[in-house]
Amino acid sequence: MTRKISMFKLTTSLAMALILSLSLALPALADPPTDPITWDFGTEEHPAKAALTKILEMGHGTTTPTADFIFEFEPTSFDGRTTPEALATIPKIRTDWTVTLGFTGANTGTTVNGTKTIIRESGDLFEGINWPKTGVYVYTVSEREKTYTIDDEFKEDMIYSEAVYDLYVYVSEGKGGTRYVYAVGAVIVAADSSNEDDVGSKVDPTPKDPDVTGDYSKMVFTNTYLKRTTDKEDEIDKNAFEVSKEVEGAILDEGKYFEFSVTVSNPTVLDKEEQTYRAYVLNEAGAVVTAEENYASLGTDGKLQKYIEFETGQPLTVHLKHGQRLIFTDLYVGGSFTVTEAAEADYTPRSVLTLDGDSTNIPGAEGMPLTVPVSGVAYLGESTNSAAYTNAYKLVAPTGISVDNLPYAVMLLAALAALVIAMAVKARKRAGHGGR
């Protein structure tokens, strides 16, 4: 009996010890560095790889800049140690890692909902590295700012990724004594704008080749490139977009103002960020006459010229008369706009809509408002962008005869007059011959 109890106690003790060991091991497996957090284990013949992904976003119609992007790899720890000796063990992943492939003006990328996107993946980050020891190497990966040279800070802007990742590299030793990368993993330290995962989440850094598979390493760095069509904020000769007004007809009222509702919006890459844009009203001679009308939100530029401030996405009423133009000087390529001319009795509107140099005629109906674009979204391109409105006046004659029928009425009246004259002449001749 005693022996059975002893065997039972021994078995129970071993089971409890095993359970305790597993309970201690499981938390360790849940977090780096003892959890490989990898999606692709390597072998001595085919080591695991890691890559980073650069996503460049810009507005619809923007020419891709020829740009280099540089990433930094800071040694963080080796086998969980951060002493100077441990950090000295960590080999460098190059001094700088530069991604240049595909970022040139010839690259069109893909455009969805007004945002043009180009995705490029680096090569294997570990290529050419000789690992000095087996163990877990950790690097902190970030993007270096201001690596793209900007000649004109008003015309161009590059918003760099704020993403930061801890990259875990698990190095093992093969049968031949060669050390190789057995597993890789990455943890988000600071989130990228395109990454919905929270800080502390694990992501897959293994390369996928976006050009072939459409997928890519999830160690992502997203940059936003912004470009304007003008070089200076108060440059009225090279405007980004204009709305012009002309009137035609037999009786031309050059002093009559027409009402327009104008809305300008950010490129979708800026999402709903608050932004203001400036616009000037010019006369036929090209002089600024913004202050002729009582506009709200008036500002004064460095040349003491008055301009109207537009808030992105907010409609604003503007009045233009014959020969005047409303011009915007600081809109971004890929931004959008909507223009509606209010209805005017006896006027038939039409518009020529020009986007990035391509023009379309848009007819209107008499006495009705006219909105451009008629449908879809009007994206601002790098070339000419405008909405040229012309209103034809329909003259109404006092007799109630339509001006459209006036030529025919004149011809009829002339014929009647000739008939009356002929009859009068004939009557006079008869009277001269005694009524014979």
Side-chain angles (χ1 to χ4, degrees):
M1 186 70 175
T2 304
R3 184 176 180 180
K4 289 183 179 180
I5 294 174
S6 299
M7 288 297 294
F8 175 76
K9 288 183 176 180
L10 178 60
T11 304
T12 303
S13 299
L14 289 172
M16 291 182 65
L18 179 60
I19 292 171
L20 180 61
S21 299
L22 288 173
S23 67
L24 293 173
L26 286 174
L29 287 172
D31 296 304
T34 53
D35 179 6
I37 53 173
T38 186
W39 284 258
D40 184 20
F41 289 92
T43 64
E44 188 174 2
E45 294 76 19
H46 302 286
K49 297 179 179 180
L52 55 82
T53 298
K54 164 53 61 184
I55 297 179
L56 183 59
E57 296 181 335
M58 64 202 79
H60 179 284
T62 306
T63 301
T64 305
T66 301
D68 293 340
F69 299 100
I70 298 176
F71 301 87
E72 297 179 341
F73 298 81
E74 180 183 354
T76 303
S77 67
F78 174 66
D79 277 347
R81 302 192 303 274
T82 58
T83 62
E85 293 77 14
L87 296 181
T89 305
I90 303 175
K92 289 185 177 181
I93 301 182
R94 302 190 183 184
T95 304
D96 295 319
W97 186 279
T98 305
V99 176
T100 58
L101 181 62
F103 295 106
T104 67
N107 192 280
T108 57
T110 58
T111 301
V112 178
N113 296 328
T115 296
K116 175 181 172 181
T117 303
I118 300 171
I119 302 175
R120 285 290 173 264
E121 189 180 69
S122 74
D124 180 21
L125 302 177
F126 310 136
E127 184 179 355
I129 293 180
N130 293 316
W131 303 99
K133 296 180 179 181
T134 59
V136 182
Y137 298 82
V138 182
Y139 299 85
T140 299
V141 188
S142 60
E143 180 179 8
R144 184 182 300 175
E145 289 192 351
K146 298 183 178 180
T147 55
Y148 172 68
T149 302
I150 294 177
D151 295 327
D152 188 331
E153 292 186 357
F154 172 74
K155 188 168 185 176
E156 291 183 279
D157 191 18
M158 182 72 74
I159 303 173
Y160 291 85
S161 174
E162 296 181 353
V164 179
Y165 300 88
D166 277 345
L167 176 62
Y168 290 79
V169 186
Y170 298 82
V171 176
S172 184
E173 189 171 298
K175 295 179 180 179
T178 303
R179 287 178 285 274
Y180 67 95
V181 178
Y182 168 70
V184 294
V187 175
I188 300 173
V189 177
D192 183 72
S193 60
S194 67
N195 196 327
E196 297 180 356
D197 291 330
D198 296 328
V199 171
S201 299
K202 303 170 186 178
V203 293
D204 178 8
T206 57
K208 304 291 191 305
D209 194 344
D211 290 335
V212 176
T213 66
D215 199 2
Y216 45 84
S217 161
K218 297 308 183 290
M219 193 159 65
V220 176
F221 297 83
T222 303
N223 286 19
T224 300
Y225 175 65
L226 299 172
K227 186 178 182 180
R228 304 181 198 262
T229 64
T230 50
D231 297 324
K232 297 180 181 178
E233 199 167 21
D234 53 5
E235 181 61 74
I236 62 176
D237 294 329
K238 297 179 180 179
N239 61 78
F241 169 58
E242 76 171 32
V243 180
S244 62
K245 176 77 250 170
E246 296 287 340
V247 179
E248 62 184 19
I251 298 178
L252 182 62
D253 184 0
E254 295 186 355
K256 177 179 175 57
Y257 280 95
F258 293 80
E259 181 179 302
F260 292 85
S261 175
V262 182
T263 304
V264 292
S265 300
N266 287 336
T268 53
V269 290
L270 283 179
D271 198 20
K272 297 180 180 179
E273 290 187 24
E274 293 183 3
Q275 193 89 17
T276 59
Y277 299 104
R278 61 173 60 180
Y280 299 81
V281 177
L282 276 60
N283 62 16
E284 287 183 283
V288 177
V289 291
T290 308
E292 284 188 1
E293 283 291 298
N294 184 22
Y295 293 113
S297 303
L298 279 181
T300 304
D301 66 18
K303 297 179 181 179
L304 302 181
Q305 301 173 124
K306 293 290 184 180
Y307 62 86
I308 308 168
E309 281 191 343
F310 281 75
E311 293 184 13
T312 181
Q314 299 299 316
L316 189 63
T317 299
V318 178
H319 297 91
L320 300 175
K321 62 183 179 179
H322 176 74
Q324 288 189 338
R325 296 178 294 149
L326 174 74
I327 66 168
F328 289 83
T329 61
D330 57 349
L331 299 177
Y332 289 108
V333 177
S336 59
F337 65 86
T338 301
V339 180
T340 299
E341 182 183 26
E344 285 287 345
D346 300 323
Y347 283 92
T348 301
R350 67 178 187 270
S351 181
V352 178
L353 176 63
T354 303
L355 298 174
D356 203 15
D358 295 327
S359 299
T360 304
N361 294 316
I362 301 175
E366 180 187 337
M368 298 297 291
L370 180 59
T371 298
V372 296
V374 176
S375 61
V377 182
Y379 292 109
L380 297 164
E382 295 182 350
S383 185
T384 305
N385 306 282
S386 64
Y389 278 82
T390 301
N391 287 50
Y393 181 60
K394 176 182 178 180
L395 179 63
V396 180
T399 59
I401 300 176
S402 171
V403 175
D404 294 338
N405 300 320
L406 189 58
Y408 304 101
V410 171
M411 292 173 65
L412 179 60
L413 290 173
L416 290 173
L419 180 61
V420 170
I421 292 172
M423 292 176 66
V425 170
K426 187 175 182 180
R428 182 175 294 181
K429 287 181 178 180
R430 287 179 178 175
H433 289 83
R436 293 176 297 185

